Amino acid sequence: MKPPPMIADVEEACGRIAPHVHRTPILRSRSLDRQTGAELLFKCENFQKTGSFKARGATNAVLALPSGVRAVATHSSGNHAAALAHAAALRGLAAHVVMPETAAAAKRAAAEAYGATIVSCAPTLAAREEAAGRIVAETGATLVPPFDDPAVVAGQGTAAVELIADAPGPLDLLLVPVGGGGLLAGTLIATAAHAPRAAVIGVEPETADDAARGFRTRMLQPQVLPVTTIADGVTTAMSPMTFEIMCWLARDIVTVSEAAIVAATRTIWERLKIVVEPSCALPLAAILERKVDVAGRRVGIILTGGNVDLDRLPWNS
């Protein structure tokens, strides 16, 4: 296992990627604040380059690669694929991406639009990793994993650094969706250094609860297949590195129902007037389903992305 990143790595990433990513805004909703009795601060990574926070980790990892690299490769259900292709273009590198056959059409199209060469595979982590390994062997590309990489985790942590700095006061709590754990791990490292009194809680679907099971047992858990959730961006199991950081620093991991995810997604669209994908809505779902007590607290929420298939909106399915 690679050593986990430290706060110095996150802060170095802030400087490295600043010219290439957006410092995304924080949005508020008075009606949601009244409804929840809290001060909710939504960090809008759906406005980020390539439409998700994944641009941060991919850009940091690619820009940190040594000279002489000619191509990069990865496996991804969507957002990291587009992010890596975009980052590779910054350095004039080719990008090879393995995507599961079940990946959203909109996310596949986005990765292709940014210049990625796409290879399809079965919708399992083993199939993704095997195909990516084959591409690396055949092309000589450098593998940039979607989350199991210190440079990727450090890049993802920059979102929390900005959120903490731009908040109108000290945060009491940060809520973060959990898939492979890259964003959670980066957020935990950044928060421990810049807002040590704030708790960080991860949120995942009830039907994809490997992080919650692992947090309770302190043993890395597999994802139960097939995964049936509309939150397609969080269906990957955690890695040993992200799992270790979670167990070390997270306050808790909670799960939410599919109905709550749909309701929270629609609420964000209606109240904040922005487009977000269902994976984004996990933190608000946890609040609305009363899985987390936020009354009287200032809460930071990272809205992870807005890459939605508009022909398959969750409340129309």
Side-chain angles (χ1 to χ4, degrees), residues 9 20 60 65-67 93-94 98 100 106 124 158 163 189 227 229 239 248 252 260-261 282 316:
D9 300 305
H20 307 288
N60 187 53
L65 290 173
S67 60
L93 307 180
V98 175
T124 68
T158 64
L163 173 56
I189 294 166
V227 181
T229 177
S239 73
W248 176 33
D252 198 6
I261 298 170
L282 290 165
N316 290 338

Side-chain angles (χ1 to χ4, degrees), residues 19 33 36 45 78 88 90 106 113 120 124 153 178 202 250 263 278 281-282 295:
D33 284 357
T36 60
E45 287 296 291
L90 295 175
S120 297
T124 68
V153 169
V178 187
L282 290 165

Side-chain angles (χ1 to χ4, degrees), residues 78-274:
N79 285 339
H80 179 68
L84 185 68
H86 177 267
L90 295 175
R91 286 191 55 173
L93 307 180
H96 304 274
V97 177
V98 175
M99 299 187 75
E101 298 163 345
T102 53
K107 293 184 177 181
R108 183 185 181 102
E112 291 176 330
Y114 285 113
T117 299
I118 308 296
V119 174
S120 297
C121 71
T124 68
L125 180 59
R128 285 165 51 158
E129 291 178 340
E130 189 277 331
R134 186 174 64 252
I135 289 171
V136 168
E138 292 173 352
T139 66
T142 297
L143 182 68
V144 181
F147 52 86
D148 190 25
D149 183 271
V152 171
V153 169
Q156 315 304 29
T158 64
V161 172
E162 292 179 8
L163 173 56
I164 292 165
D166 294 346
L171 295 176
D172 300 304
L173 176 65
L174 285 85
L175 295 177
V176 183
V178 187
L183 178 63
L184 176 63
T187 298
L188 287 165
I189 294 166
T191 303
H194 291 282
R197 294 185 179 179
V200 178
I201 295 176
V203 188
E204 63 183 350
E206 290 176 350
T207 56
D209 65 344
D210 61 296
R213 286 183 284 115
F215 188 77
R216 305 276 182 276
T217 62
R218 288 302 195 260
M219 295 178 61
L220 184 63
Q221 299 291 314
Q223 190 63 274
V224 177
L225 299 174
V227 181
T228 53
T229 177
I230 59 168
D232 64 288
V234 295
T235 57
T236 306
M238 302 188 79
S239 73
M241 179 180 64
T242 58
F243 179 76
E244 178 182 295
I245 296 169
M246 176 188 72
C247 290
W248 176 33
L249 294 172
R251 177 67 59 85
D252 198 6
I253 307 295
V254 300
T255 62
V256 293
S257 68
E258 290 297 296
I261 298 170
V262 173
T265 305
R266 183 162 188 159
T267 295
I268 293 170
W269 281 53
E270 291 177 342
R271 304 288 183 88
L272 297 182
K273 313 303 181 186
I274 58 175

